[in-house]
Amino acid sequence: MLKNLVSIKDLHKDKILLILMQADYFSKGYRWQPDNQTFIANLFFEPSTRTKSSFEMAERKLGLEVIPFEAGSSSVLKGETLYDTVRTLESLGVDAVVIRHEEDEYYRHLIGKVNIPVINAGDGCGQHPTQSLLDLFTIQQEFGSFEGLKIGIVGDIRHSRVARSDTEALRKLGANVFYSGPKEWFDQDFLYSGEFAAIDDLIPEVDVLMLLRIQHERHNEHTTFSTEEYHELYGLTVEREKRMKPGSIIMHPAPVNRGVEIDDRLVECRRSRIFKQMENGVYVRMAVLKEVLEGRMANEAADQKWQYSL
Amino acid sequence: MLKNLVSIKDLHKDKILLILMQADYFSKGYRWQPDNQTFIANLFFEPSTRTKSSFEMAERKLGLEVIPFEAGSSSVLKGETLYDTVRTLESLGVDAVVIRHEEDEYYRHLIGKVNIPVINAGDGCGQHPTQSLLDLFTIQQEFGSFEGLKIGIVGDIRHSRVARSDTEALRKLGANVFYSGPKEWFDQDFLYSGEFAAIDDLIPEVDVLMLLRIQHERHNEHTTFSTEEYHELYGLTVEREKRMKPGSIIMHPAPVNRGVEIDDRLVECRRSRIFKQMENGVYVRMAVLKEVLEGRMANEAADQKWQYSL
Amino acid sequence: MLKNLVSIKDLHKDKILLILMQADYFSKGYRWQPDNQTFIANLFFEPSTRTKSSFEMAERKLGLEVIPFEAGSSSVLKGETLYDTVRTLESLGVDAVVIRHEEDEYYRHLIGKVNIPVINAGDGCGQHPTQSLLDLFTIQQEFGSFEGLKIGIVGDIRHSRVARSDTEALRKLGANVFYSGPKEWFDQDFLYSGEFAAIDDLIPEVDVLMLLRIQHERHNEHTTFSTEEYHELYGLTVEREKRMKPGSIIMHPAPVNRGVEIDDRLVECRRSRIFKQMENGVYVRMAVLKEVLEGRMANEAADQKWQYSL
């Protein structure tokens, strides 16, 4: 059971492994649905196909009622705070909310203040815990265990929610994390034990090559190279793929900039788990939703016990 | 049974009380669902979180199929009239429509012309009957009856759908309505028996203090005071709340401008029923939808009888 | 069974008649639902009320789970290709996609490349096969057979998906197609056997008068007449309607520009099947979805057989 899921930091290693185990069950056709009609709302204040649709699929597979919420036509336009929006949904009878928001740690306005679980689907440059969990699940599917695995993360480390969340989780589970990409995008304050390496040194060493998306929307101003140059200097070219370790895999959180982070011809190559990651995202989100809804049901039962004992 | 719900004016006192009784049943867990798959569409031509989500929750709890309708990506952009849009939905098999539209009495283009029920979720500066019903239900929950209650409505009386709808309903049920707020926002043509009073005279007298939202979107041009001045002159300050009558309650249709109509610290105070109103909105809308769908079923049965008798 | 539906050209005459027969069953209350929870996504990159809502109704009536997709808030904004979007949805577990897109033959990027069926809901100036099928169904309902029927299509022939799709289908089924409207909107390269005729010559001859919508959004630049002039020169005026053949009907794909293509008073006249067409659209789309989903199920069963036979 889980009260909320806002950051991978909050999750003990055992809890992570439990979620991955449940995701594995769901991937094999295991079914779980709450006993009563259960309502959920997905509040996406930033554009998203993948994550939003993935949550929607997970929710429908669990038999949940998904209440539509369009940030663009909501009272947020009238200046309503996020707290008031979520309290409103809680008052209407919504049982849990999934939120993506551009503000770092937006969830501080909610946790301990609203009475329904919050699942973080991405906060500013902060966390994206279900993305981490699906990455972990994909790696576990491939290698069984994390102990001693070498993971290379390449790209805009500093601004990436994925780099941040994944690093914390992978280290917790015993993997070694290395970074590459433009040096100016690697933050010295990014205080993890992982080392920075040149892409060509990294390529033959890692079990998992995790490419990050170049987020044009985030830093047009301080890029000093074209997309072609990026591909040549830091991207996964056809030549580099040939030098990868036997049995190693390629991952990317998507959407992919084809021909930039990775050569167009490699997106669906034998090593690529990019579309597998998307499939796995649904199972992982089912597992998280189950944990959170079971936590809520236990919580409500506890509340009731308390009321009756007066 | 109800054919449409466009204005509180059309509802006899007994009908209002019947709807409130059914809302009360729903609030206590009573269930009602139509026998056959039933389709509904929510047409919101103005932004809304609360009302739209509240209808959506009510509809899902009744087991209805909610057909998505996005005004922003619809044929309305191609210049289609509201009548043609609703007739289209009727032709497609939609059983009822909920509409919010910026045009006063937009429903005149529909009533008697389309064959499916119309529920008004707000028309221009006109009516917002389900908001009235939820306000009434909240008051009834608190005080049991309306006879002789003193209700103070404070704010932009002239432009408020809530003030208009609530006044008609409350007077019908025997309550006394008083108004306060900026005098220039109180319309002399607002022809109700309610008196206008200064906020500080009203505060100790009323059983219900109903604060209206300042609608910045409606009259930026003729406001001559800042939000701080509004709060000081007409808002519910911490000091004013202390002078309220024992047992009296605070209401607000929300979204609240915190620190303007009401002090931030009072939004969830002991007297406040603001989030309770939202919860009640779902029950009231379930009751209205039930009435309207039962009306439609009776109607269709009548149509069939008539056809067979030829 | 049908693998995809992208163009009416691909459909054999017998297949068309089979779909119409199934639409007829659905119109009479016949029910069909897939055995397992089945997911569908409607990707509309151009605005639409009618077609999108019609598919949504059809999908709900078949018990499908409709995964919301808003082009305006999707990763398409981040430059994702249509192929990657559809492959993503496939990876997430979506079983079929319905697509409207402004690019002619957008489906060439998908067919044979993704593993889920694609139903074309309109491509650029290309095809709109379910619109054709609903037109055919409406004509069949009226006249029983197509052999020797005279169909007049009036308006912007060159840019019309409807004219293109309908012509191909109608000729396949033995009807004769005639065209009218502004001569400059009739493309000589529109290589069908149908003849061009003046509207007043056409009116007394045809069994079906099919009016096309003037698409202001498509060719403001080369229109040299006002809407009033269009109505006078090429529209269905009250006078022209009086000269129509006994038993003949009026059709229009809608949304109608009232007073332009057709006099306001004729939109719901005795001859008009305009709203009937919309109703029929739901039945036809149910039939197409059934064919495509049965095709997919057979396909998956075949895949499994192949796997087991290794």
Side-chain angles (χ1 to χ4, degrees):
Chain A
M1 292 177 321
L2 212 54
K3 254 189 122 159
N4 300 282
L5 179 63
V6 296
S7 161
I8 206 84
K9 269 185 279 193
D10 310 338
L11 288 184
H12 188 272
K13 180 185 156 176
D14 293 347
K15 187 54 119 184
I16 292 177
L17 292 172
L18 178 75
I19 292 173
L20 300 188
M21 194 189 72
Q22 302 215 24
D24 186 47
Y25 286 170
F26 282 122
S27 79
K28 288 166 178 158
Y30 167 93
R31 289 171 62 90
W32 176 88
Q33 298 208 343
D35 293 331
N36 299 311
Q37 200 184 22
T38 300
F39 297 90
I40 197 148
N42 302 317
L43 282 62
F44 278 69
F45 296 93
E46 293 186 325
S48 161
T49 303
R50 213 164 316 275
T51 307
K52 196 178 175 201
S53 304
S54 177
F55 268 108
E56 184 97 26
M57 285 293 298
E59 290 154 1
R60 302 293 191 95
K61 286 189 165 196
L62 297 176
L64 310 183
E65 299 273 355
V66 188
I67 298 298
F69 179 88
E70 306 305 328
S73 64
S74 76
S75 290
V76 173
L77 290 185
K78 301 184 190 168
E80 193 177 50
T81 64
L82 184 59
Y83 171 80
D84 280 340
T85 299
V86 175
R87 275 287 283 127
T88 295
L89 292 168
E90 180 190 340
S91 300
L92 295 178
V94 167
D95 294 290
V97 285
V98 175
I99 304 180
R100 167 169 291 186
H101 198 282
E102 63 278 10
E103 185 187 332
D104 282 23
E105 304 194 7
Y106 68 80
Y107 45 81
R108 289 188 180 278
H109 304 299
L110 305 174
I111 302 303
K113 295 175 189 160
V114 298
N115 300 306
I116 52 174
V118 174
I119 298 173
N120 183 10
D123 64 295
C125 292
Q127 293 271 333
H128 189 355
T130 58
Q131 176 71 41
S132 286
L133 289 166
L134 78 87
D135 288 342
L136 297 176
F137 183 50
T138 305
I139 295 169
Q140 194 193 45
Q141 257 183 352
E142 203 68 34
F143 301 99
S145 140
F146 298 91
E147 205 60 51
L149 281 184
K150 289 185 185 164
I151 318 285
I153 307 184
V154 183
D156 180 4
I157 309 298
R158 186 169 38 193
H159 291 92
S160 169
R161 295 192 279 237
V162 175
R164 200 170 299 271
S165 292
D166 279 15
T167 294
E168 301 193 30
L170 285 163
R171 290 195 53 220
K172 224 177 255 188
L173 294 161
N176 301 307
V177 185
F178 302 85
Y179 304 100
S180 192
K183 192 97 190 212
E184 59 270 39
W185 287 357
F186 180 69
D187 205 328
Q188 288 308 42
D189 298 342
F190 199 78
L191 291 169
Y192 302 114
S193 67
E195 297 167 36
F196 190 85
I199 179 87
D200 288 307
D201 296 340
L202 206 66
I203 285 282
E205 295 295 329
V206 295
D207 300 291
V208 177
L209 187 68
M210 196 179 282
L211 306 167
L212 301 177
R213 175 183 165 73
I214 300 205
Q215 303 195 276
H216 301 297
E217 45 297 10
R218 288 200 199 271
H219 44 67
N220 276 330
E221 68 288 357
H222 42 100
T223 46
T224 52
F225 32 73
S226 67
T227 56
E228 290 77 13
E229 285 169 326
Y230 184 92
H231 186 61
E232 219 40 66
L233 290 168
Y234 313 107
L236 186 61
T237 59
V238 171
E239 289 67 35
R240 287 191 180 114
E241 189 271 339
K242 286 183 186 144
R243 297 175 46 240
M244 286 181 73
K245 206 164 134 180
S248 64
I249 61 169
I250 300 163
M251 292 173 66
H252 189 298
V256 171
N257 293 306
R258 286 169 177 265
V260 185
E261 299 104 46
I262 181 170
D263 188 285
D264 191 50
R265 291 159 289 177
L266 297 175
V267 171
E268 298 185 61
C269 77
R270 200 176 35 84
R271 286 191 200 283
S272 168
R273 296 296 175 273
I274 298 178
F275 288 104
K276 189 71 183 171
Q277 284 172 277
M278 297 178 203
E279 183 191 335
N280 285 340
V282 177
Y283 306 132
V284 156
R285 287 172 181 123
M286 290 172 83
V288 167
L289 286 160
K290 173 174 177 286
E291 283 296 291
V292 145
L293 291 171
E294 284 182 331
R296 173 160 167 77
M297 287 184 269
N299 223 26
E300 284 189 332
D303 279 1
Q304 283 185 343
K305 231 175 290 164
W306 179 80
Q307 289 180 335
Y308 288 134
S309 69
L310 283 180
Chain B
M1 291 179 320
L2 212 55
K3 255 189 122 160
N4 301 282
L5 178 63
V6 296
S7 161
I8 207 84
K9 269 185 278 194
D10 309 339
L11 289 183
H12 188 272
K13 180 184 158 175
D14 293 346
K15 187 52 117 185
I16 293 177
L17 291 172
L18 178 75
I19 293 173
L20 300 188
M21 193 187 73
Q22 303 215 23
D24 187 48
Y25 287 169
F26 281 122
S27 79
K28 287 166 179 158
Y30 166 93
R31 287 171 63 90
W32 176 89
Q33 298 206 344
D35 294 330
N36 300 311
Q37 200 183 21
T38 300
F39 298 90
I40 197 148
N42 302 317
L43 282 62
F44 279 68
F45 296 92
E46 294 186 325
S48 160
T49 302
R50 212 165 315 277
T51 307
K52 196 177 174 202
S53 303
S54 177
F55 268 108
E56 183 97 25
M57 285 292 299
E59 290 154 2
R60 302 293 191 96
K61 287 189 164 196
L62 297 176
L64 310 183
E65 299 273 356
V66 187
I67 297 299
F69 179 89
E70 306 305 328
S73 63
S74 76
S75 290
V76 173
L77 291 184
K78 301 184 189 167
E80 194 178 51
T81 63
L82 184 60
Y83 170 81
D84 280 341
T85 299
V86 175
R87 275 288 282 128
T88 296
L89 292 169
E90 180 190 341
S91 300
L92 296 178
V94 167
D95 294 290
V97 285
V98 175
I99 304 179
R100 168 170 291 187
H101 199 282
E102 63 277 10
E103 186 188 331
D104 281 22
E105 305 195 5
Y106 67 80
Y107 46 79
R108 290 190 179 277
H109 304 298
L110 305 173
I111 302 302
K113 294 173 189 161
V114 297
N115 300 307
I116 53 173
V118 175
I119 297 174
N120 182 10
D123 64 295
C125 292
Q127 293 270 333
H128 189 354
T130 58
Q131 176 71 41
S132 286
L133 289 167
L134 79 86
D135 288 342
L136 296 176
F137 183 49
T138 305
I139 295 170
Q140 194 193 42
Q141 258 182 352
E142 202 68 36
F143 300 100
S145 139
F146 298 90
E147 205 59 53
L149 281 184
K150 288 185 186 165
I151 317 285
I153 307 183
V154 182
D156 181 3
I157 309 297
R158 186 169 39 191
H159 291 92
S160 170
R161 294 193 278 237
V162 175
R164 200 170 300 270
S165 291
D166 279 16
T167 294
E168 301 194 32
L170 285 164
R171 289 195 54 220
K172 224 176 253 190
L173 293 162
N176 301 308
V177 185
F178 302 84
Y179 304 101
S180 192
K183 193 95 190 214
E184 59 271 39
W185 288 357
F186 179 70
D187 205 329
Q188 288 308 42
D189 297 342
F190 199 78
L191 290 169
Y192 301 114
S193 66
E195 296 168 36
F196 190 85
I199 179 85
D200 288 307
D201 297 339
L202 206 64
I203 285 283
E205 294 295 328
V206 294
D207 300 291
V208 177
L209 186 68
M210 196 179 282
L211 306 167
L212 300 177
R213 174 183 165 74
I214 299 204
Q215 303 195 276
H216 301 297
E217 46 293 14
R218 286 200 200 272
H219 45 68
N220 276 330
E221 68 288 356
H222 41 100
T223 46
T224 52
F225 32 74
S226 68
T227 55
E228 290 77 13
E229 285 170 326
Y230 184 92
H231 185 60
E232 218 41 65
L233 290 168
Y234 312 108
L236 186 62
T237 59
V238 171
E239 290 66 35
R240 286 191 181 115
E241 190 271 339
K242 287 183 184 143
R243 296 175 46 241
M244 286 181 70
K245 206 164 135 178
S248 64
I249 61 170
I250 301 163
M251 293 172 66
H252 188 299
V256 171
N257 293 304
R258 286 170 177 265
V260 185
E261 299 104 45
I262 181 170
D263 189 285
D264 192 49
R265 291 159 288 177
L266 297 175
V267 172
E268 298 186 62
C269 76
R270 201 175 35 84
R271 286 190 200 285
S272 168
R273 296 295 175 275
I274 297 177
F275 288 103
K276 189 72 186 171
Q277 284 172 277
M278 297 178 203
E279 182 191 337
N280 286 339
V282 177
Y283 305 133
V284 156
R285 288 173 180 121
M286 289 172 83
V288 167
L289 286 159
K290 174 175 177 286
E291 284 295 290
V292 146
L293 291 171
E294 285 183 331
R296 174 160 165 77
M297 287 184 271
N299 223 26
E300 284 187 333
D303 278 3
Q304 283 185 343
K305 231 175 290 164
W306 179 80
Q307 289 179 333
Y308 289 132
S309 70
L310 281 181
Chain C
M1 291 178 319
L2 211 56
K3 253 189 123 159
N4 299 283
L5 178 62
V6 295
S7 160
I8 206 82
K9 269 185 278 193
D10 310 339
L11 289 183
H12 188 272
K13 180 185 157 176
D14 294 346
K15 188 52 118 187
I16 293 176
L17 292 172
L18 178 76
I19 292 173
L20 301 188
M21 193 188 72
Q22 302 215 23
D24 187 47
Y25 286 170
F26 281 122
S27 79
K28 287 165 179 159
Y30 167 93
R31 288 170 63 90
W32 177 88
Q33 299 207 343
D35 293 331
N36 299 311
Q37 200 183 21
T38 299
F39 297 90
I40 197 148
N42 301 318
L43 282 63
F44 278 68
F45 296 91
E46 293 187 326
S48 161
T49 302
R50 212 164 316 276
T51 307
K52 197 178 175 202
S53 303
S54 177
F55 268 108
E56 183 97 24
M57 285 292 299
E59 291 154 0
R60 302 293 191 96
K61 286 190 164 194
L62 297 176
L64 310 183
E65 299 273 356
V66 187
I67 297 298
F69 179 88
E70 307 304 329
S73 63
S74 77
S75 291
V76 173
L77 290 184
K78 302 184 188 166
E80 194 177 51
T81 63
L82 184 60
Y83 170 81
D84 280 340
T85 299
V86 175
R87 274 288 282 128
T88 295
L89 292 169
E90 180 190 341
S91 300
L92 295 178
V94 167
D95 294 289
V97 285
V98 175
I99 304 180
R100 167 169 291 187
H101 199 283
E102 62 277 11
E103 185 187 332
D104 281 24
E105 305 194 6
Y106 67 80
Y107 45 81
R108 290 188 179 277
H109 304 298
L110 305 173
I111 302 303
K113 294 174 188 160
V114 298
N115 300 305
I116 52 174
V118 174
I119 298 174
N120 182 9
D123 65 295
C125 292
Q127 292 271 333
H128 189 354
T130 58
Q131 176 71 40
S132 286
L133 288 166
L134 79 86
D135 289 342
L136 296 175
F137 183 49
T138 305
I139 295 169
Q140 194 194 43
Q141 258 183 351
E142 202 69 34
F143 301 100
S145 140
F146 298 89
E147 205 59 51
L149 282 184
K150 289 185 185 164
I151 318 285
I153 306 183
V154 183
D156 181 5
I157 309 298
R158 185 169 38 192
H159 292 93
S160 170
R161 294 193 279 237
V162 175
R164 200 170 300 270
S165 292
D166 279 16
T167 295
E168 300 193 33
L170 285 164
R171 290 196 53 220
K172 224 176 255 190
L173 293 161
N176 302 306
V177 185
F178 302 85
Y179 304 100
S180 192
K183 193 95 190 214
E184 59 271 37
W185 288 357
F186 180 69
D187 204 329
Q188 287 308 42
D189 298 342
F190 199 79
L191 290 169
Y192 301 113
S193 66
E195 297 167 36
F196 190 86
I199 180 86
D200 288 307
D201 295 340
L202 206 66
I203 285 284
E205 294 296 329
V206 295
D207 300 291
V208 177
L209 186 69
M210 195 179 283
L211 306 167
L212 301 177
R213 174 183 165 74
I214 300 205
Q215 303 195 274
H216 301 297
E217 47 292 14
R218 286 200 200 272
H219 44 68
N220 276 329
E221 68 288 357
H222 41 101
T223 46
T224 51
F225 32 72
S226 67
T227 55
E228 290 76 14
E229 285 170 326
Y230 184 92
H231 185 60
E232 217 42 65
L233 290 167
Y234 312 108
L236 186 61
T237 58
V238 171
E239 289 67 35
R240 287 193 180 113
E241 189 272 338
K242 287 184 186 144
R243 296 176 46 241
M244 285 181 72
K245 206 164 134 179
S248 64
I249 62 170
I250 300 163
M251 292 172 68
H252 189 297
V256 171
N257 294 305
R258 287 171 177 265
V260 186
E261 299 103 43
I262 182 170
D263 188 286
D264 192 50
R265 290 159 288 178
L266 296 175
V267 172
E268 298 186 61
C269 77
R270 201 175 35 84
R271 286 190 198 284
S272 168
R273 295 295 175 275
I274 298 177
F275 288 102
K276 189 71 184 173
Q277 284 172 277
M278 297 178 203
E279 183 191 336
N280 286 340
V282 176
Y283 306 133
V284 156
R285 287 173 181 122
M286 289 172 83
V288 167
L289 286 160
K290 174 174 177 285
E291 284 296 290
V292 146
L293 291 171
E294 284 182 332
R296 173 161 167 78
M297 287 184 270
N299 222 26
E300 285 187 331
D303 278 2
Q304 284 185 343
K305 230 176 289 165
W306 179 81
Q307 289 179 334
Y308 289 134
S309 69
L310 282 180

